[in-house]
Amino acid sequence: MLVAGIGLATFVLLLSFIGPLLWPVDPFALGPHSVLSRPSLAHPAGTDDLGRDSLARLISGGATTLTVAIPSAIIAFLAACFYGFAAALGPAWLDRLLMRLLDAILALPSLVVLIFFAALTRLDAAHLAALLGLVSAPSLARLIRNEALAQRERDFILAARQLGASPFYIARVHLLRVMAPILVVNATFLVGDTILALSALSFLGLGVQPPHTSWGGLLESGLTVAPLGAWWLIVPPGGMIFLAMLAASLTGRGLLARAGDRL
Amino acid sequence: MPPWARTALSRIATAALSLWILVTLTFFLAHLTPGGPAYAILGMRATPVGVNQVNMRLGLDVPLWMQYLTYLGHLCTLRLGYSFLLNQPVAHLIVMYAANTLLFTSLSIVVGTLAALAIGMVQGASWNRWPGRLIGAWQLATYATPSFFIAGMLVLVFASTLGWLPAGGITDAHMTEPGPLSYARHLVLPVATVSLIVAASLSRYFGQSVAEELERDYVRTARAKGLGLRDILRGEVARNALRPFITLLGLYLPALFAGSVVVETIFDFPGLGWLLWHAALQQDYPTLIGVVLLIGALTIVGNLAAELANAALDPRLRSRTLA
């Protein structure tokens, strides 16, 4: 499972980032003479309603999607670690305050929060990555806090506290090491979550804005010409999201199975 | 005061606190971001004078804390403001659109849950053999497929290519008095999309708990007494595996709503998700905030109800929820 997941992830990453070298076609070049043409040798994935090459757009959409989604997964992971450890190791009132706040935030599905923010201001790629990261963090933050609370009572950490170690030292040296397996597994799942959230947001026209391409945006524009039966504009972007999610999920589950006896 | 009453009160107080935090957060976020409704209303014609006039008309020229208190007062009397996009009171709009979402979501939950129970039972009974493994692969594939891709494929096959079903909307535009059949035909594809996702994700949990129940001693005893697998499954195993499943269903509802935002937009189905999306695209703040608060409030109240119901049903949980 782990091997399949890593293999798929490599494929998706290579296609998106090395792809432009192998298929050096301009994704924005209009082709007035080849509007909505079926897949052929000249256009292996066909062309869209403005005659642009779909394969080139798929590759550039992948690069955009992954350069936003992967950093935002890292932001989400760091934010969740910070929040969770602060709640678990800080004073009791801080824990209570942070958890109440989390309850209120978790009452809203993350997609609804994203739509709310995207409506307030139009976001560029950097802000989008930051927002996506912060919105994806809460449930992992709670998981880390609960796990850290349980680990905190173990003898070696009690001993470290007796010796006067600061909460930062305990989090950095002890908790990060003990919780490494569970953290790595959840970080992998986070990448899948952010890819899905970004694609949904772009699909709704609130994420990556044109002229930039993204898998979600490509799928949306493909669906507008669905009545013409242009399957080659719908299946490839949807399939890429599927493969990326499958890669994250398989890798995460594979790691979980490996870590099973260490948890 | 008896302990259970104190538990209930503290739970209700916590829920009220969460609700207040949610309202406050949305209010300040919406009011502190640059731009604001005046610019959204005036658009290209925004001049400093015009913006001032709109702000005065909307009561946005008084200090923020006074606006906040007025806002809280209005919320308590369920006055949610006026949608300048659809030219109607937001509360009225929400009631109108919620009816469609309620119909669509409850149909999807019923279909999806029934399918999940049947599939989970088969999967649990054959956990490490071929029907179970095949079902597991199907669940993983459905998990990895975004709802808008499933919906897109259904539209492509059943609406564009075969032409059996409409691609979107809620009734046929050419009919002046659409009958129930017209509504039903428009519901098929959206309900199929969501119930497929519900069935895949819920059946995984149910299948796993059925498989775990089958390992227990009472199952071995029942088999030793000569009961067939089918009878054991239908009797004790189903009942025991169902309890965690019901809790899960409660936790799952908000996620389901988020999914329906995307599905409603694809099928142009006028429900709450569609309303939220349009309000977001057009920066119609009163509607946007109204729908967001409704979703949050429903989740908080739903969680509270589930917790209180669990405590009432199971005496062991009554004291535990105190912690």
Side-chain angles (χ1 to χ4, degrees):
Chain A
M1 215 186 261
L2 187 59
V3 176
I6 291 175
L8 261 183
T10 317
F11 169 72
V12 171
L13 284 169
L14 280 183
L15 184 74
S16 303
F17 292 109
I18 312 290
L21 302 175
L22 303 175
W23 185 250
V25 173
D26 181 7
F28 303 106
L30 303 179
H33 303 295
S34 57
V35 170
L36 281 180
S37 60
R38 287 172 176 282
S40 62
L41 274 181
H43 302 287
T47 58
D48 68 1
D49 50 338
L50 295 174
R52 296 173 292 197
D53 183 71
S54 290
L55 181 59
R57 291 180 71 70
L58 196 67
I59 291 168
S60 105
T64 319
T65 304
L66 295 176
T67 41
V68 174
I70 293 176
S72 71
I74 296 173
I75 293 171
F77 181 70
L78 294 178
C81 281
F82 188 74
Y83 201 99
F85 284 140
L89 298 175
W93 62 265
L94 185 69
D95 182 34
R96 223 171 301 148
L97 178 75
L98 290 178
M99 284 303 113
R100 274 295 82 73
L101 204 61
L102 211 57
D103 276 341
I105 298 170
L106 280 172
L108 290 174
S110 56
L111 187 62
V112 172
V113 181
L114 283 171
I115 292 176
F116 180 71
F117 276 106
L120 294 181
T121 46
R122 287 287 176 266
L123 301 156
D124 57 19
H127 284 101
L128 198 57
L131 176 63
L132 199 58
L134 293 182
V135 166
S136 313
S139 53
L140 182 58
R142 163 164 299 177
L143 189 127
I144 290 177
R145 176 255 186 188
N146 290 344
E147 184 69 21
L149 269 187
Q151 297 286 355
R152 205 175 69 142
E153 302 305 320
R154 287 177 67 174
D155 287 342
F156 64 94
I157 292 185
L158 284 179
R161 275 157 67 194
Q162 287 295 323
L163 287 169
S166 73
F168 286 105
Y169 180 85
I170 293 176
R172 189 165 50 87
V173 173
H174 294 302
L175 287 179
L176 274 183
R177 202 163 297 169
V178 185
M179 290 166 59
I182 204 169
L183 290 178
V184 171
V185 167
N186 279 290
T188 317
F189 286 133
L190 259 184
V191 178
D193 291 348
T194 53
I195 290 176
L196 179 67
L198 178 67
S199 300
L201 205 60
S202 304
F203 181 85
L204 293 173
L206 295 164
V208 176
Q209 296 295 325
H212 298 294
T213 50
S214 63
W215 288 332
L218 286 175
L219 187 53
E220 193 274 334
S221 53
L223 271 182
T224 55
V225 287
L228 304 171
W231 56 266
W232 60 91
L233 294 179
I234 297 171
V235 178
M240 287 309 288
I241 304 174
F242 171 75
L243 288 183
M245 296 268 299
L246 199 62
S249 181
L250 283 176
T251 311
R253 285 198 198 184
L255 286 172
L256 195 63
R258 286 280 165 91
D261 37 291
R262 285 184 60 191
L263 283 180
Chain B
M1 203 179 343
W4 63 265
R6 210 179 304 154
T7 312
L9 271 182
S10 93
R11 284 286 125 187
I12 291 171
T14 314
L17 187 65
S18 295
L19 207 57
W20 174 72
I21 294 175
L22 187 69
V23 168
T24 309
L25 275 182
T26 35
F27 176 85
F28 282 103
L29 284 173
H31 281 76
L32 293 177
T33 40
Y39 290 93
I41 294 173
L42 294 172
M44 300 286 283
R45 292 169 290 137
T47 58
V49 179
V51 168
N52 273 341
Q53 278 177 344
V54 171
N55 279 346
M56 214 168 352
R57 177 99 60 82
L58 296 176
L60 294 173
D61 53 340
V62 297
L64 200 58
W65 63 269
M66 270 174 71
Q67 291 182 41
Y68 175 61
L69 289 184
T70 323
Y71 177 68
L72 282 187
H74 283 180
L75 269 188
C76 293
T77 50
L78 287 183
R79 276 184 291 172
L80 296 173
Y82 203 80
S83 157
F84 48 80
L85 172 67
L86 293 158
N87 214 11
Q88 282 187 44
V90 172
H92 184 189
L93 274 179
I94 286 182
V95 171
M96 231 163 65
Y97 283 80
N100 285 337
T101 294
L102 200 64
L103 175 68
F104 158 55
T105 318
S106 49
L107 263 177
S108 312
I109 292 177
V110 171
V111 175
T113 310
L114 288 179
L117 290 178
I119 296 167
M121 204 80 108
V122 174
Q123 188 187 19
S126 59
W127 189 246
N128 274 326
R129 285 172 289 127
W130 76 263
R133 293 213 159 182
L134 195 69
I135 292 171
W138 166 73
Q139 287 156 344
L140 179 63
T142 314
Y143 160 79
T145 317
S147 59
F148 42 93
F149 187 36
I150 297 179
M153 292 306 291
L154 288 177
V155 167
L156 191 66
V157 173
F158 292 102
S160 306
T161 311
L162 296 172
W164 290 350
L165 290 162
I170 189 165
T171 55
D172 298 297
H174 59 86
M175 288 188 187
T176 42
E177 274 181 39
L181 189 68
S182 174
Y183 281 104
R185 273 167 49 85
H186 284 81
L187 272 171
V188 175
L189 288 185
V191 169
T193 309
V194 177
S195 40
L196 184 68
I197 296 167
V198 172
S201 55
L202 290 185
S203 64
R204 193 169 122 237
Y205 294 102
F206 188 59
Q208 196 163 6
S209 43
V210 167
E212 277 164 18
E213 286 295 324
L214 283 176
E215 300 279 306
R216 290 178 196 263
D217 288 344
Y218 73 84
V219 174
R220 201 171 357 136
T221 314
R223 301 234 36 188
K225 284 198 292 189
L227 275 171
L229 184 63
R230 199 169 287 231
D231 292 310
I232 302 174
L233 271 178
R234 223 180 288 157
E236 286 94 339
V237 170
R239 207 174 327 134
N240 286 339
L242 215 53
R243 242 179 298 146
F245 183 76
I246 289 172
T247 316
L248 185 79
L249 198 62
L251 291 174
Y252 188 69
L253 287 180
L256 193 62
F257 181 83
S260 77
V261 176
V262 180
V263 176
E264 282 180 6
T265 14
I266 296 176
F267 290 105
D268 214 6
F269 186 85
L272 281 179
W274 184 92
L275 188 63
L276 178 74
W277 179 63
H278 270 256
L281 276 186
Q282 313 281 345
Q283 299 191 292
D284 181 358
Y285 292 114
T287 315
L288 183 71
I289 293 176
V291 178
V292 167
L293 285 185
L294 176 77
I295 298 165
L298 282 181
T299 314
I300 292 172
V301 173
N303 282 348
L304 175 69
E307 227 167 291
L308 292 182
N310 263 340
L313 288 175
D314 189 341
R316 283 171 306 175
L317 287 174
R318 266 177 220 160
S319 52
R320 213 178 293 167
T321 43
L322 255 174

